[in-house]
């Protein structure tokens, strides 16, 4: 009987391996565990509790911001009837804007950290990282830091407020908003200037103390100056007795300063008066209109530019320029 040789071991090695329970690193047991977690009541209860806490935090933040806006609105309403140049009104408007902005930043920051705690993200490392990042940003954003510090001192020095009429270089406008970093100034033509607080180094405030109306009046050389000055004094007294002038004047009466300048075509006289800030423009227009009316009634001429030209001929003894040029 012939005995067949045993099959080589390679046949066993080439046999396909039995499928295991792993697929791309995820085992069946892991999938089953995840399924058990998803279908478990504890998972859904925890998720619902997290969502409820998240909603409560956001709702409390919105409620706090609404309360701040409500308080700000009532505070501003208490000074709405005050004059636009009243410093108390300006201080309230400015402070209300700043406190409203700070309240929003603080409330949302606290809400964000609270939500991170609810989700399970540790806040401590974030705060440490934020401190280091803030230090680095502070060195890189020196202009921003300068603007904030300058805005802080502008607010608390009480040199600038909402509603003030200010001059910055050649620009004149009314302050609409004062913040820690930015100041908004509205020009007469409607243009809104955005000025960083750090760049507001030299400016003029026309809303502090009093304003002075300066009216320069030109008189012709042929005009009797004494008569013209007398008419100006009558005009100043007439304007000062009006009801509108009595409400805005700071001093007792306007002053006529006499003849101040001998110009090419006119002799200049001046009328000045101190009024409340912001009222100088209307007072200037009223005084000029009254001067024009009274001058027309009394025949006083407001001069126009004029020149006297002298013409000489060579026959009058003037040097012959062509001959002189040829000799030279």
């Amino acid at each position: 009987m012939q005995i067949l040789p045993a099959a080589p071991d390679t046949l066993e090695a080439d046999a396909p391996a039995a499928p295991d329970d792993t697929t791309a690193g995820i085992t069946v047991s892991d999938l089953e565990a995840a399924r058990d977690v998803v279908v478990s009541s504890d998972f859904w209860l925890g998720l619902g509790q997290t969502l409820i806490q998240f909603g409560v935090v956001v709702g409390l933040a919105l409620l706090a911001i609404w309360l701040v806006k409500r308080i700000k609105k009532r505070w501003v309403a208490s000074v709405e009837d005050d004059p636009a140049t009243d410093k108390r009104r300006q201080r309230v408007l400015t402070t209300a804007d700043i406190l409203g902005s700070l309240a929003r930043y603080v409330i949302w920051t606290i809400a964000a950290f609270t939500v991170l705690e609810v989700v399970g993200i540790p806040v401590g490392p974030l705060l440490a990282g934020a401190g280091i990042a803030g230090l680095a940003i502070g060195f890189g954003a020196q202009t921003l830091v300068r603007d904030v510090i300058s805005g802080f001192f502008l607010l608390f020095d009480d040199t600038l407020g909402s509603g003030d009429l200010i001059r910055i270089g050649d620009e004149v406008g009314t302050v609409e908003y004062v913040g820690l970093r930015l100041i908004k100034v509205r020009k007469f033509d409607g243009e809104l200037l955005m000025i960083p607080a750090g760049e507001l180094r030299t400016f003029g405030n026309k809303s502090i103390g009093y304003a002075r109306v300066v009216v320069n009046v030109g008189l012709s050389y042929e005009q009797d100056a004494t008569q013209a000055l007398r008419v100006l004094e009558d005009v100043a007294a007439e304007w000062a007795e009006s009801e509108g002038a009595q409400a805005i004047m700071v001093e007792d009466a306007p002053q006529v300063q006499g003849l101040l300048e001998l110009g090419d075509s006119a002799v200049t006289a001046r009328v000045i008066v101190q009024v409340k800030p912001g009222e100088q423009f209307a007072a200037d227009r009223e005084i000029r209109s009254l001067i024009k009316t009274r001058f027309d009634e009394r025949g006083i001429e407001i001069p126009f530019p004029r020149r006297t030209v002298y013409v000489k001929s060579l026959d009058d003894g003037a040097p012959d320029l062509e001959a002189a040029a040829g000799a030279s």
Side-chain angles (χ1 to χ4, degrees):
M1 182 177 66
Q2 184 178 1
I3 300 175
L4 296 175
D9 296 338
T10 57
L11 297 177
E12 297 179 357
D14 294 338
D20 56 5
D21 294 337
T22 62
T23 302
I26 302 176
T27 63
V28 175
S29 59
D30 293 336
L31 295 176
E32 292 177 351
R35 183 192 61 187
D36 294 338
V37 170
V38 171
V39 299
S40 65
S41 59
D42 293 338
F43 170 77
W44 291 108
L45 288 175
L47 180 60
Q49 183 180 3
T50 301
L51 292 177
I52 291 174
Q53 292 177 347
F54 177 82
V56 170
V57 171
V58 174
L60 290 176
L62 293 175
L63 178 61
I65 292 176
W66 179 81
L67 289 175
V68 170
K69 289 183 178 179
R70 184 83 174 180
I71 295 172
K72 173 185 172 182
K73 185 176 180 180
R74 290 193 174 187
W75 194 18
V76 171
S78 65
V79 296
E80 282 185 347
D81 296 334
D82 296 342
T85 56
D86 184 72
K87 298 308 294 181
R88 176 176 173 271
R89 181 178 186 273
Q90 296 173 358
R91 193 178 301 111
V92 168
L93 294 178
T94 303
T95 308
D97 289 338
I98 293 175
L99 291 181
S101 300
L102 290 178
R104 287 196 300 271
Y105 295 145
V106 172
I107 290 172
W108 282 121
T109 302
I110 295 175
F113 283 117
T114 305
V115 167
L116 292 177
E117 287 285 353
V118 169
V119 175
I121 300 176
V123 181
L126 292 178
L127 291 176
I132 298 174
L135 185 62
I137 293 174
F139 281 110
Q142 297 182 14
T143 302
L144 178 62
V145 175
R146 184 190 65 184
D147 292 341
V148 172
I149 295 176
S150 300
F152 176 84
F153 283 108
L154 276 176
L155 292 173
F156 288 92
D157 286 344
D158 200 20
T159 57
L160 195 65
S162 298
D164 281 349
L165 182 66
I166 65 172
R167 176 187 54 80
I168 307 171
D170 296 331
E171 306 292 350
V172 178
T174 303
V175 178
E176 288 194 353
Y177 172 80
V178 180
L180 286 178
R181 189 188 67 85
L182 189 67
I183 297 169
K184 299 179 182 180
V185 178
R186 180 78 63 179
K187 294 173 58 177
F188 181 74
D189 60 2
E191 181 183 0
L192 186 63
L193 300 178
M194 310 291 184
I195 306 170
E199 297 182 7
L200 199 65
R201 298 184 177 275
T202 303
F203 64 94
N205 194 331
K206 298 178 179 290
S207 300
I208 296 179
Y210 65 89
R212 177 174 284 122
V213 179
V214 180
V215 180
N216 292 324
V217 182
L219 306 173
S220 63
Y221 277 95
E222 296 81 9
Q223 180 62 50
D224 185 357
T226 303
Q227 178 189 3
L229 292 177
R230 190 180 302 113
V231 173
L232 287 178
E233 292 176 353
D234 294 341
V235 168
E238 180 181 354
W239 178 83
E241 292 174 357
S242 64
E243 183 177 353
Q246 292 292 330
I248 65 174
M249 278 197 311
V250 175
E251 58 185 4
D252 294 336
Q255 301 177 10
V256 178
Q257 292 188 329
L259 303 180
L260 301 178
E261 182 181 356
L262 301 178
D264 294 336
S265 304
V267 180
T268 303
R270 176 177 293 173
V271 180
I272 62 171
V273 60
Q274 290 184 7
V275 297
K276 295 179 180 178
E279 304 292 343
Q280 64 268 31
F281 306 106
D284 184 276
R285 292 191 298 268
E286 292 174 1
I287 294 175
R288 291 182 186 275
S289 176
L290 193 57
I291 289 174
K292 178 64 170 64
T293 302
R294 298 296 175 261
F295 274 18
D296 289 344
E297 292 176 354
R298 305 190 186 186
I300 298 177
E301 179 186 2
I302 296 178
F304 51 87
R306 65 187 71 182
R307 290 185 182 276
T308 302
V309 179
Y310 295 93
V311 180
K312 277 191 174 184
S313 64
L314 296 178
D315 297 337
D316 296 335
D320 189 348
L321 299 180
E322 294 182 359
S328 62

